[in-house]
Amino acid sequence: MTIRTRLALGVALQTAIIVLVVAAVQFLALRSFLVASESQRLEGLMPRLTAELDHRPLTARPPLVITSLPRNVDARVVQGGQVVAVTDEFPALPLTLPAGYAPRAGHQVLVAPLVLRGQPATAQIASDVLGVVDPLRAYLRALAVTVPAAALLVALLSSALAGRLLRPVARLQAAAARLGQGNNLRLPLPGAGRSDELGRLADTLQTSFTQLADVREREEEFTRAAAHDLRSPLAALKVRLQGSLATPRSEAELRENMREALADVDRMQRLTDHLLLLARGTRTVHLRPVDLADLAGEAVDRARETAPDVRLDFETWGDTLIPGDEALLTRLLENLIGNGRRYGQGADMTVRVWGEPDRVRLTVQDAGPGVPAEALPRLTEPFYQVDAARSGEGNGLGLAIVDRIVQLHGGTVLFEATRPRGLCVTVDLPRPQPTKNTTCAASRAREPFRT
Ligand SMILES: Nc1ncnc2c1ncn2[C@@H]1O[C@H](COP(=O)(O)OP(=O)(O)O)[C@@H](O)[C@H]1O
Ligand SMILES: [Mg+2]
C-alpha cells in the first residue's frame, strides 16, 4: 500500500473516530436536555389540571374525564386509593408510584402531589416518549450520513494533499535513479538546499553521493597508480629476460642479469606488500599492550647504526603503554624516521614519545628542507610524491601506510612545517581511560628520558 493511500485511510479513520466521539457526547447532552425540557413541560401542566378539577364535580364512579390537557399528554388523579379523574388513553401503570419524574411503560411520567378540595391527592401525568425519542432518532440518522461522508471527504482531501507533498519525493527518486544510470554521482539533486525535511533528505543524499564519488575517484586513481608502478618493473624484467635469451651471454653476464631481475622482483614484492598493508581492515589487527617508547627506541637505534654520522635525538617521558600492533607500529616508526633520513639532507632529527592521560603522542621532527605548504595535506595520498626524483626507491606509499596504521589504531596524524625549516609529524594514539581508583605511582609522569 502506498504512503499516500495509508495516509488517506489513516486520516479518514481518525476523523471518523473523532466525529463519533463528539457525536456520542452531543447525543447524551441532547437526550438529557430533551428529557429535562419534557419534565418542565409536564410540571407546567399541573396548574391547568388543578384548575380543571377544582371547577368540576368529582365522582369516583365513573371517574371524571380530563379534557384540559394537550393531546399527546395523558393524566390520572388518585385520591384515597381511587382514580377520581383520568384521560381517555392513560397507560397501564400501577395506582401508587413514587413521586418524581421517570420513564415508565414507554412514557415519560411525572408523579406529583396536589390538594383537591382540601384533600391530598396524587397526579400522574404521562407524555408519549416519542417527544424525546424522535429528535434523537433524527440526530442519529443525520450522523449515519454525515460521518461516512466526512470520512470520505477527508480521505479524498488528504490523498490529494499527500500526493502534492510526496511529489518532490518522486522527483528525488527519479533524479537518484538517473544518477545511478548516468554514473555521474555529482549531478545536483532536486530539492537540495530547501529547509524542510525533504530538503534535508536531498542534502544528505547529495553529500553521500558526493562522498561516494570521491571514494570512487580515489580508488580509480589508486588502482591506476598501482598498475602503473607494477608495470615499470614488469616491463624492465621482460626486457632483461628477452635480452638474456636473444644473444648468447657469459655466465658472469647471466648472473648479473639475474641479479637485476631479482631487484625488479624485489620492487614488485615491496609494492604488493605495501598495497596489501593499505587494504588491511580493522578486524585483521590484533591490539596488545605495547610500549611505544620501547619500539621508538629500537627504531632509533637501528637508524643510528645505518647512518651514524647524522644526529638523531630521542626523548621520552610518561607512561607510553598503548593497545597496539607491534609490527604495524614498528613499520610506522621506520617509515617516518626513514623519510626524515631520506629527505632531510643529513639535518638533525628528533623523535619524541610521551604519555598523556588519554593518549600517547609521537613526534618525528627533522630540520631538513621540509615540504611546501600546499603539499602538506596531500602527503598521505597513496603514490603522492613531492619530488619523485628525490624519492629513489620510494613509491609514495610510505605516509599513506602511516596514515592507515594510525587509523587502524583509532588515532590521528598531523603534518606541520617546522621553523625555520623541516617537517614535524605528530601521531596521537588513544588508550583506554584508567578508572579513577586504579591510578598508581607508576602511571604518573616520569622525568624526561633522553638518549
Ligand atoms: N621528512 C620529510 N621531508 C621532506 N619531504 C618529505 C618528508 N617525508 C616525506 N616527504 C615527501 O613526501 C612524499 C611522500 O612520502 P612517502 O609517502 O613516504 O613516499 P616515498 O615513498 O616517496 O618516501 C615523499 O616523496 C617526499 O617528497
Ligand atoms: Mg617514504
Side-chain angles (χ1 to χ4, degrees):
M1 206 192 284
T2 60
I3 292 185
R4 185 175 173 172
T5 318
R6 269 185 281 166
L7 187 84
L9 289 181
V11 175
L13 185 68
Q14 279 177 14
T15 310
I17 291 172
I18 292 171
V19 170
L20 282 176
V21 169
V22 172
V25 173
Q26 281 185 344
F27 179 85
L28 293 175
L30 178 64
R31 199 180 65 171
S32 66
F33 168 76
L34 288 172
V35 167
S37 68
E38 188 62 7
S39 152
Q40 273 175 9
R41 187 169 80 98
L42 296 187
E43 275 169 25
L45 293 174
M46 283 293 285
R48 216 197 276 189
L49 182 65
T50 321
E52 181 187 355
L53 297 181
D54 272 346
H55 290 100
R56 293 176 58 190
L58 282 184
T59 47
R61 252 171 249 280
L64 191 77
V65 176
I66 301 167
T67 56
S68 63
L69 297 181
R71 263 204 286 151
N72 60 354
V73 177
D74 287 295
R76 183 164 77 172
V77 177
V78 182
Q79 194 171 43
Q82 300 240 319
V83 176
V84 292
V86 69
T87 49
D88 279 344
E89 291 167 18
F90 193 80
L93 289 171
L95 276 185
T96 48
L97 286 171
Y101 178 73
R104 291 173 212 281
H107 289 71
Q108 295 295 121
V109 181
L110 174 71
V111 179
L114 86 171
V115 180
L116 265 189
R117 301 195 179 108
Q119 296 296 314
T122 308
Q124 298 177 343
I125 309 180
S127 92
D128 197 333
V129 85
L130 287 178
V132 173
V133 169
D134 273 354
L136 291 179
R137 280 208 186 121
Y139 180 70
L140 287 179
R141 269 197 303 276
L143 272 188
V145 177
T146 49
V147 173
L152 185 68
L153 187 66
V154 168
L156 290 176
L157 285 177
S158 42
S159 166
L161 183 67
R164 223 182 125 80
L165 289 177
L166 289 173
R167 220 171 290 152
V169 177
R171 278 203 296 271
L172 197 61
Q173 186 208 353
R178 273 199 304 279
L179 241 67
Q181 282 158 7
N183 239 353
N184 184 358
L185 294 172
R186 293 191 194 279
L187 279 179
L189 282 177
R194 271 171 38 172
S195 59
D196 58 8
E197 290 86 344
L198 286 172
R200 284 198 289 278
L201 173 66
D203 281 344
T204 311
L205 284 177
Q206 186 86 74
T207 312
S208 306
F209 285 150
T210 309
Q211 282 166 349
L212 275 178
D214 287 348
V215 169
R216 201 168 65 182
E217 280 162 19
R218 272 205 303 274
E219 272 179 2
E220 281 169 5
E221 177 57 30
F222 181 83
T223 316
R224 233 191 332 268
H228 176 266
D229 270 41
L230 275 172
R231 217 163 66 164
S232 317
L234 266 177
L237 186 63
K238 190 174 167 188
V239 169
R240 255 187 266 287
L241 292 176
Q242 280 170 338
S244 309
L245 287 174
T247 47
R249 307 260 162 128
S250 67
E251 197 192 326
E253 282 172 334
L254 276 176
R255 287 187 78 79
E256 178 55 25
N257 279 0
M258 280 174 78
R259 242 192 313 277
E260 286 168 356
L262 203 59
D264 289 333
V265 172
D266 268 351
R267 268 176 70 193
M268 287 189 285
Q269 197 178 24
R270 252 199 323 274
L271 183 64
T272 45
D273 283 352
H274 288 175
L275 292 176
L276 280 175
L277 218 159
L278 277 178
R280 267 176 86 162
T282 1
R283 261 184 264 152
T284 61
V285 178
H286 304 290
L287 303 183
R288 272 183 273 273
V290 219
D291 196 326
L292 191 65
D294 289 351
L295 296 185
E298 289 162 19
V300 165
D301 286 345
R302 282 193 296 278
R304 281 174 181 159
E305 277 166 28
T306 51
D309 43 332
V310 177
R311 183 164 172 188
L312 174 51
D313 289 335
F314 175 53
E315 296 174 9
T316 177
W317 64 94
D319 175 15
T320 53
L321 206 64
I322 46 158
D325 182 307
E326 198 172 315
L328 292 182
L329 291 173
T330 302
R331 170 67 68 90
L332 174 145
L333 285 156
E334 277 174 355
N335 284 4
L336 292 179
I337 296 172
N339 274 354
R341 280 302 176 67
R342 187 180 298 155
Y343 306 110
Q345 297 175 345
D348 294 351
M349 272 185 75
T350 311
V351 175
R352 292 189 183 90
V353 182
W354 71 95
E356 291 185 0
D358 55 342
R359 63 187 166 195
V360 171
R361 181 167 274 193
L362 158 78
T363 60
V364 180
Q365 187 177 345
D366 66 70
V371 296
E374 65 276 10
L376 286 173
R378 298 195 57 193
L379 289 179
T380 54
E381 281 177 25
F383 301 104
Y384 178 75
Q385 294 180 309
V386 180
D387 180 3
R390 276 203 290 143
S391 283
E393 292 263 286
N395 49 23
L397 289 178
L399 294 180
I401 288 171
V402 166
D403 189 42
R404 183 74 193 132
I405 294 173
V406 170
Q407 276 176 21
L408 291 172
H409 284 78
T412 54
V413 59
L414 179 72
F415 299 89
E416 289 167 300
T418 45
R419 293 193 180 276
R421 64 203 296 266
L423 180 75
C424 179
V425 186
T426 305
V427 173
D428 277 339
L429 298 172
R431 62 169 160 209
Q433 292 283 309
T435 48
K436 274 193 183 119
N437 49 5
T438 58
T439 33
C440 58
S443 68
R444 275 187 228 124
R446 294 194 296 253
E447 280 299 295
F449 166 78
R450 285 196 181 79
T451 60

